[in-house]
Amino acid sequence: MEEKKQRNYHIGIIGQIAFLFVIGMIALGAVTFYTQRTRTEQQYKEQVESLARSRSIQVARSLQEYPAYQWLVQYWHEHYDELDIEYDADFYYAGTKTEEKCHLFNEHHPEIQIRYASLSEIQNLSSEDQKLYAEITYSWLITRVNQIKRDSEIDFLFCVLTEDPYNKQFFLFSAAERNEKRGTNYEEVYPLGVQVEVGESQQEQMRAAIHSNSHLASAGDYVDYYYYVTTVNGYDVLVGTTYNVSNILNTIERQTNNDLLFMMAHQIVLALACIFLFYEFVLVPLGKIQKNIHFYKETKNSAIVRDNLSKVQPRNEMGDLSQDIVELSIEMDHYLNRIETITSEKKKMETELVLAKRIQEDMLNSEFPAFPDHKDFDIYASMDPAKEVGGDFYDFFLIDENHLCLVIADVSGKGIPAALFMMASKIILANNAMNGESPGKILENTNNAICTNNQEEMFVTVWLGILDLRTGELVAANAGHEFPAVKKPDGNYELFKDPHGFVIGGMPGMKYKEYTIQLEPGSRLFVYTDGLPEATNEHQEMFGTDRIIEVLNEDPNRSPEEQLTSMAKAVDQFVKEAEQFDDLTMLGFVYHGKEN
């Protein structure tokens, strides 16, 4: 009931699509708005830059059409406070002060054409005539510049002189509308000679223009364009144009908003049509399919589901889906039947594995102390299989009152096959040992017996020793097993690299060499399977025999049980989360001697 109540509050797919559509439309609208506005502004600024460059070139050419224009610039700069300038003189009309000056200059020097006077001709003039020439040409130039401004709808058109570090501007001329007031206040038309200090931003603009001949920069509602003309007497000459773009930008933003709203309206209409078609041809059939899936989940009645879904037959993916659900319900029926059978068999197998594990544990001596009546030795052993059952085994038993047999072995492979082979090998070894044979002969007889019928070609490594409890003499033989670790009463554990014979079950007729170790009271023995040195951590590093000896010698006089416990703990700390790869079997032994 709780699940059904929660499902009723879920947002339907239509709601999710609508929500995603709104989010997507908002995101798309924002991206479109800023992209379109930025693109339009960029196009407009490119047009402004093109126009500003064209007008700046016109102004520069108006100045440079005088052959001695550099002399004029320097003269205007140095004598700006001495010149009588007529800023609004339209030399196309008579009656201006500039016209009178032209007549006067022509009377003095009829051979010189004012507009085309060369530098040498001007330098040969008297100072009064030079001043007269500078005033006439300036009035002509400012008249031309004023006309350029009026024809181009430029907000500000000017020419300045500046020098590094470009923190000051000397205004050479500024264009004005007809009868516009000139003054030295901000946003007024500056007369010749006005000097102003500029900020770092404008300094960078002028520096960039001088470096690359021109530069366009935005400054709030204005766009500034600087054009480099020439350098005179260490001063850089720049023509500047300023456009007020606030109205244009507002128009661009308004038009962009209108276009965006128009586009979004079309998208909404299109989306509503798509949602309706999606609901009719997808969601309705899908709802029927979903309903039958829930019905099958609750009842497992595939017959009713097949009957219901046969009515959902649109010729598209929904029809294919309904047919797939019908076939899936039939497959699920078969699968559930198989699962019941497999589950039953698995439970039976698990029961058998538990029983096999118990049988294997019963085959190993697991009660300690194993020989409470014997004070002349102490023994402890453990076996930790990698799977439910393992192939390792250990054994120890008294052959007679004075002889103790010690065995540790490792069968090839793991799991049930290794466990079966292990039990057979253990029984054969014990039977041969009880016949009073020597260790080498015991291994030889066991090998021949196993090789007689070993169709699976399994094998087992064995270390077997027989200890005379009266003298401490240990006679042993090794069939391909790990080296034992031996400790003398006053020493530390060391690996005893004994001679190895071939593994048991590998080849019939093998002989095994015996060797003797004399154990004094206090001597110790530690044997193990390869699961100990080959225990591997997550970095693919092995535990190794060096760590085995190191752990044993941390406290070499510990009891066998404590020794095996500390070794198991060291292995766990080494491998950490890595999976156990092989069976881990260990046996520890201490010889106290008969007198003890």
Side-chain angles (χ1 to χ4, degrees):
M1 290 297 293
E2 291 181 0
E3 183 180 354
K4 290 183 178 180
K5 288 180 179 179
Q6 290 177 357
R7 189 179 298 124
N8 291 336
Y9 289 101
H10 286 175
I11 300 175
I13 192 169
I14 291 293
Q16 294 176 353
I17 291 175
F19 175 75
L20 292 175
F21 172 76
V22 170
I23 296 298
M25 189 170 62
I26 293 173
L28 178 62
V31 171
T32 303
F33 174 78
Y34 286 108
T35 302
Q36 184 67 21
R37 188 177 70 174
T38 302
R39 181 169 169 270
T40 306
E41 289 178 356
Q42 183 63 32
Q43 291 177 345
Y44 176 71
K45 287 182 179 179
E46 290 175 358
Q47 294 175 0
V48 169
E49 182 174 12
S50 177
L51 179 62
R53 181 178 180 84
S54 173
R55 296 299 175 261
S56 298
I57 291 175
Q58 277 186 281
V59 172
R61 288 176 178 174
S62 298
L63 173 63
Q64 292 170 340
E65 69 182 2
Y66 297 103
Y69 74 91
Q70 290 188 325
W71 181 89
L72 285 171
V73 170
Q74 184 175 352
Y75 192 91
W76 293 336
H77 179 227
E78 294 175 352
H79 303 278
Y80 69 92
D81 55 346
E82 304 171 6
L83 299 179
D84 179 19
I85 302 299
E86 188 175 16
Y87 290 100
D88 296 319
D90 192 337
F91 59 82
Y92 297 108
Y93 297 98
T96 63
K97 187 185 296 185
T98 301
E99 183 185 26
E100 295 176 0
K101 292 179 180 180
C102 289
H103 290 310
L104 181 61
F105 186 87
N106 288 330
E107 288 177 1
H108 292 173
H109 305 282
E111 75 283 1
I112 298 177
Q113 297 186 27
I114 299 175
R115 185 174 299 277
Y116 305 107
S118 65
L119 178 62
S120 59
E121 290 175 333
I122 295 171
Q123 288 177 337
N124 291 327
L125 298 175
S126 64
S127 59
E128 291 80 5
D129 289 341
Q130 287 181 348
K131 178 175 176 294
L132 185 62
Y133 174 78
E135 292 173 346
I136 294 170
T137 53
Y138 188 93
S139 296
W140 285 359
L141 177 63
I142 196 65
T143 300
R144 175 62 182 149
V145 172
N146 288 340
Q147 189 62 43
I148 293 173
K149 178 183 184 302
R150 296 163 190 168
D151 293 342
S152 305
E153 297 183 354
I154 302 173
D155 288 273
F156 296 99
L157 176 60
F158 53 90
C159 179
V160 296
L161 274 66
T162 184
E163 62 179 343
D164 196 17
Y166 309 110
N167 59 341
K168 292 183 179 180
Q169 291 179 340
F170 176 91
F171 274 79
L172 196 64
F173 56 79
S174 299
E177 298 294 336
R178 194 177 301 278
N179 299 321
E180 185 176 3
K181 180 182 177 181
R182 292 179 179 270
T184 57
N185 295 323
Y186 180 67
E187 292 191 345
E188 288 185 343
V189 180
Y190 293 152
L192 171 65
V194 174
Q195 298 186 57
V196 297
E197 294 185 359
V198 296
E200 294 182 359
S201 174
Q202 204 164 358
Q203 293 174 31
E204 291 297 326
Q205 294 176 26
M206 291 189 293
R207 188 176 289 108
I210 294 168
H211 181 266
S212 58
N213 292 329
S214 64
H215 180 71
L216 181 73
S218 297
D221 292 337
Y222 292 92
V223 172
D224 292 332
Y225 181 82
Y226 282 101
Y227 179 81
Y228 172 72
V229 179
T230 186
T231 299
V232 176
N233 197 27
Y235 287 90
D236 296 310
V237 182
L238 296 173
V239 173
T241 55
T242 301
Y243 293 85
N244 188 332
V245 296
S246 59
N247 292 333
I248 298 297
L249 294 180
N250 291 335
T251 302
I252 291 173
E253 184 170 356
R254 184 168 58 254
Q255 185 62 42
T256 304
N257 289 335
N258 294 336
D259 293 343
L260 180 63
L261 292 175
F262 185 74
M263 180 195 70
M264 293 176 68
H266 277 76
Q267 287 183 341
I268 291 172
V269 173
L270 180 61
L272 292 175
C274 291
I275 289 174
F276 173 76
L277 294 175
F278 182 79
Y279 175 80
E280 188 67 24
F281 292 100
V282 177
L283 292 187
V284 172
L286 189 61
K288 295 179 181 179
I289 294 172
Q290 183 185 32
K291 182 177 179 181
N292 281 276
I293 291 175
H294 287 302
F295 177 78
Y296 180 79
K297 186 174 70 172
E298 295 175 358
T299 65
K300 303 297 185 293
N301 192 331
S302 60
I304 295 178
V305 172
R306 289 196 297 272
D307 183 60
N308 291 340
L309 292 182
S310 64
K311 302 173 184 177
V312 182
Q313 294 183 346
R315 294 183 179 180
N316 55 25
E317 287 80 358
M318 291 297 103
D320 295 338
L321 180 60
S322 63
Q323 183 62 34
D324 291 340
I325 296 298
V326 170
E327 295 175 359
L328 181 61
S329 65
I330 297 173
E331 289 293 328
M332 284 295 295
D333 289 344
H334 296 320
Y335 178 73
L336 290 174
N337 291 334
R338 290 198 300 270
I339 288 295
E340 290 179 1
T341 303
I342 293 171
T343 302
S344 177
E345 293 177 352
K346 184 178 179 181
K347 288 183 179 179
K348 182 179 178 181
M349 186 180 296
E350 290 176 352
T351 302
E352 292 176 351
L353 281 174
V354 171
L355 181 59
K357 184 175 182 179
R358 290 179 182 174
I359 293 173
Q360 186 180 47
E361 290 175 350
D362 292 341
M363 290 285 294
L364 300 176
N365 294 319
S366 57
E367 294 185 3
F368 298 98
F371 303 97
D373 295 335
H374 280 266
K375 307 300 181 183
D376 47 351
F377 66 89
D378 189 10
I379 191 169
Y380 191 83
S382 65
M383 198 274 281
D384 183 15
K387 293 187 175 181
E388 289 81 0
V389 290
D392 288 3
F393 69 89
Y394 62 83
D395 201 0
F396 45 85
F397 50 87
L398 287 169
I399 299 174
D400 55 40
E401 185 63 26
N402 296 314
H403 292 86
L404 175 67
C405 182
L406 303 174
V407 182
I408 190 164
D410 184 1
V411 175
S412 60
K414 294 180 284 295
I416 293 178
L420 294 174
F421 196 79
M422 160 258 180
M423 287 189 282
S425 303
K426 183 177 182 298
I427 292 170
I428 295 173
L429 279 167
N431 289 340
N432 279 286
M434 294 303 294
N435 290 332
E437 302 286 354
S438 66
K441 193 65 176 178
I442 294 171
L443 296 183
E444 180 183 346
N445 293 340
T446 301
N447 178 61
N448 291 332
I450 290 176
C451 288
T452 301
N453 189 15
N454 187 14
Q455 299 297 326
E456 301 302 324
E457 298 183 351
M458 298 185 71
F459 62 88
V460 57
T461 65
V462 181
W463 180 90
L464 185 145
I466 297 177
L467 175 65
D468 188 332
L469 298 175
R470 296 165 299 181
T471 63
E473 183 182 72
L474 175 67
V475 181
N478 193 326
H481 200 74
E482 302 292 322
F483 295 124
V486 180
K487 175 190 175 300
K488 294 182 180 180
D490 297 326
N492 288 327
Y493 279 96
E494 296 179 0
L495 278 184
F496 186 86
K497 297 186 177 181
D498 55 354
H500 277 43
F502 201 54
V503 295
I504 301 297
M507 186 182 300
M510 299 302 299
K511 303 294 183 181
Y512 295 91
K513 186 176 181 180
E514 298 177 352
Y515 61 91
T516 301
I517 301 176
Q518 182 61 49
L519 300 182
E520 303 294 335
S523 295
R524 294 168 178 264
L525 176 70
F526 179 80
V527 289
Y528 50 91
T529 60
D530 60 1
L532 178 58
E534 294 178 5
T536 306
N537 64 14
E538 57 187 2
H539 304 295
Q540 302 302 311
E541 297 174 337
M542 291 187 179
F543 192 70
T545 54
D546 290 342
R547 286 189 177 87
I548 293 175
I549 299 302
E550 182 180 342
V551 174
L552 291 173
N553 287 326
E554 287 177 355
D555 186 357
N557 295 317
R558 283 185 288 214
S559 68
E561 181 178 2
E562 292 173 339
Q563 199 68 271
L564 267 63
T565 300
S566 64
M567 187 66 69
K569 183 177 179 181
V571 172
D572 290 340
Q573 292 176 347
F574 177 77
V575 300
K576 294 182 180 178
E577 301 299 325
E579 182 181 0
Q580 182 179 346
F581 179 75
D582 200 359
D583 302 334
L584 178 59
T585 304
M586 300 178 286
L587 185 148
F589 178 82
V590 181
Y591 178 67
H592 299 301
K594 276 294 184 181
E595 64 273 14
N596 295 320

